[in-house]
Amino acid sequence: MLAKHGFISAFGRLTSLSPSSSVLRRQQFLVRTLCGSRIHRPKLIGAMSSSSEADAESVLRIVTPSLDPKRHKGQAGKIAVIGGCREYTGAPYFAAISALKIGADLSHVFCTKDAAPVIKSYSPELIVHPVLEESYSISQFSEEEKRKVQEKVLGEVDKWMERFDCLVIGPGLGRDPFLLECVSKIMVLAKKLNVPFVVDGDGLFLVTNSIDLVKSYPLAVLTPNVNEYKRLVQKVLNCQVDEQNAEDQLRSLAKQIGGVTILRKGKSDLISNGETVNSVSIYGSPRRCGGQGDILSGGVAVFLSWAQQLKSSPESPFENPAILGCIAASGLLRKAASLAFTKHKRSTLTSDIIECLGESLEDICPAS
């Protein structure tokens, strides 16, 4: 019946939905009505053995909440980026501002003291916390003093943690040993409080060397590029990347890490939690300017948090908010990158793509 009405195909894939908000509401009501206690809840993504191209635009229409004047600040998402150091201030900004441009209400950045003034200068929209420390700033400290600094850093983040719907860990983080140790404890705290997190950039360097930080945590998303993925495969599967069997290898990797969701970035983005494998190939751009991965990580955080809200309904048919978040963010970034490229061609920059996020989402999910 669901397949007949255009919701779930015979293989469990999401099929096209009307962009009309009123029609969509009726369709969603039908899904809820048909998914009562005596009917098995359909999986939005395919069965365990499936691998398929996801209908990213339909996922975007379902996951993106309507704009409701009755909602208050924060209900559309509170995102925090953990990253930003002396060398790297652009990446955390890109991730945090992208979350706002997509539709999150509040976006925080937890960075080092040196990075904070720079990131603050990029935009007054971001809430910037200069709380992280690097080794050079405490090089003269005793071990006991360093321990107290670490406790202070964790305490500053802990004060905010329960307010956040999702974290983005890694953009502009760098590889300072003391900083990475602090961030590893922040990840442990997030897991304890069941806060979802997206790991990108140098966060993946940390995770690759400490797999237990994410192992078996279903609310963790890893977003490796080609080199980061290669290191993960070598570390976890003890082999080289197999492009001939890319989907099977990705499924094995995610399964070996305990069912975390992995979004392998590439010409086609591949997404797996160890059970399903979905690809997103729509749109895209030949321009490969740095920073697009930061847009993606901020987008995954927003869409994951929105999908998590949908899943909180006891009658919801949505099975895995992390996978939905990845599909939606991948589809939107690809559309925005395509639109930016039509306007700017070879000179397209990450900032140009960010400016196209709102227009691209509006084209798929009209606000009115």
Side-chain angles (χ1 to χ4, degrees):
M1 176 113 181
L2 289 171
K4 179 180 177 182
H5 287 275
F7 289 97
I8 310 297
S9 73
F11 298 101
R13 285 184 293 155
L14 189 69
T15 56
S16 297
L17 293 171
S18 167
S20 167
S21 59
S22 61
V23 173
L24 178 57
R25 298 294 180 275
R26 291 196 294 272
Q27 290 176 331
Q28 289 175 316
F29 175 77
L30 179 58
V31 170
R32 292 194 295 269
T33 302
L34 293 175
C35 295
S37 59
R38 290 181 295 176
I39 300 177
H40 177 68
R41 295 189 303 166
K43 290 188 177 181
L44 193 57
I45 312 302
M48 182 177 293
S49 61
S50 73
S51 60
S52 59
E53 175 73 14
D55 187 343
E57 290 195 352
S58 290
V59 172
L60 277 162
R61 292 188 189 107
I62 282 186
V63 172
T64 303
S66 60
L67 293 176
D68 187 346
K70 295 180 181 179
R71 302 185 69 162
H72 58 73
K73 181 177 68 177
Q75 284 188 297
K78 301 178 290 295
I79 307 302
V81 177
I82 311 296
C85 63
R86 283 188 299 175
E87 291 87 355
Y88 307 116
T89 57
Y93 164 75
F94 288 148
I97 202 69
S98 295
L100 288 179
K101 289 284 188 176
I102 289 169
D105 286 340
L106 296 168
S107 194
H108 297 244
V109 178
F110 289 81
C111 60
T112 65
K113 293 180 176 65
D114 287 337
V118 182
I119 298 172
K120 284 175 182 282
S121 73
Y122 293 153
S123 173
E125 305 289 346
L126 305 180
I127 303 169
V128 182
H129 307 261
V131 300
L132 302 182
E133 295 282 0
E134 294 182 86
S135 298
Y136 78 91
S137 65
I138 57 170
S139 59
Q140 304 301 316
F141 287 17
S142 66
E143 290 303 313
E144 178 62 20
E145 289 172 326
K146 290 179 181 179
R147 184 186 62 79
K148 288 182 180 179
V149 170
Q150 192 174 88
E151 289 178 354
K152 182 179 178 182
V153 169
L154 194 61
E156 288 295 322
V157 178
D158 188 22
K159 290 191 300 187
W160 291 87
M161 184 68 78
E162 288 188 291
R163 307 184 193 190
F164 298 134
D165 297 301
C166 191
L167 308 181
V168 181
I169 299 173
L173 186 61
R175 297 184 180 183
D176 178 81
F178 184 80
L179 182 52
L180 291 180
E181 188 176 348
C182 290
V183 172
S184 67
K185 293 185 182 299
I186 291 171
M187 294 174 73
V188 171
L189 176 64
K191 289 194 296 182
K192 182 179 178 181
L193 298 175
N194 287 317
V195 177
F197 54 73
V198 182
V199 186
D200 189 44
D202 287 318
L204 289 167
F205 172 81
L206 172 62
V207 165
T208 300
N209 292 296
S210 304
I211 293 293
D212 285 345
L213 287 172
V214 297
K215 192 166 188 176
S216 301
Y217 186 51
L219 296 177
V221 176
L222 312 183
T223 58
N225 61 24
V226 60
N227 290 320
E228 292 158 348
Y229 184 74
K230 178 180 178 181
R231 288 192 287 267
L232 267 174
V233 168
Q234 291 173 339
K235 179 74 173 184
V236 177
L237 299 181
N238 196 30
C239 65
Q240 299 300 314
V241 174
D242 182 2
E243 295 294 353
Q244 298 301 314
N245 298 286
E247 293 188 355
D248 289 338
Q249 187 176 59
L250 177 61
R251 183 187 288 111
S252 297
L253 179 62
K255 197 170 203 176
Q256 191 69 26
I257 307 178
V260 302
T261 298
I262 301 176
L263 192 168
R264 181 191 175 185
K265 296 179 286 194
K267 184 178 179 181
S268 292
D269 293 333
L270 294 178
I271 302 157
S272 181
N273 64 344
E275 297 182 357
T276 65
V277 179
N278 285 267
S279 62
V280 180
S281 305
I282 58 171
Y283 305 112
S285 163
R287 181 76 168 101
R288 302 307 310 147
C289 52
Q292 294 182 62
D294 304 310
I295 301 176
L296 181 66
S297 62
V300 172
V302 176
F303 287 115
L304 192 163
S305 67
W306 288 348
Q308 188 86 334
Q309 290 178 16
L310 285 176
K311 189 182 178 184
S312 64
S313 169
E315 294 183 345
S316 171
F318 307 120
E319 296 294 330
N320 191 314
I323 289 182
L324 292 180
C326 288
I327 292 173
S330 174
L332 180 61
L333 171 58
R334 285 170 167 273
K335 184 172 176 62
S338 177
L339 178 59
F341 185 74
T342 63
K343 296 179 179 181
H344 303 282
K345 300 301 181 182
R346 193 180 296 274
S347 67
T348 302
L349 299 176
T350 296
S351 54
D352 299 319
I353 299 172
I354 290 172
E355 288 306 311
C356 289
L357 288 171
E359 183 180 348
S360 298
L361 186 57
E362 179 68 14
D363 184 56
I364 298 170
C365 309
S368 56

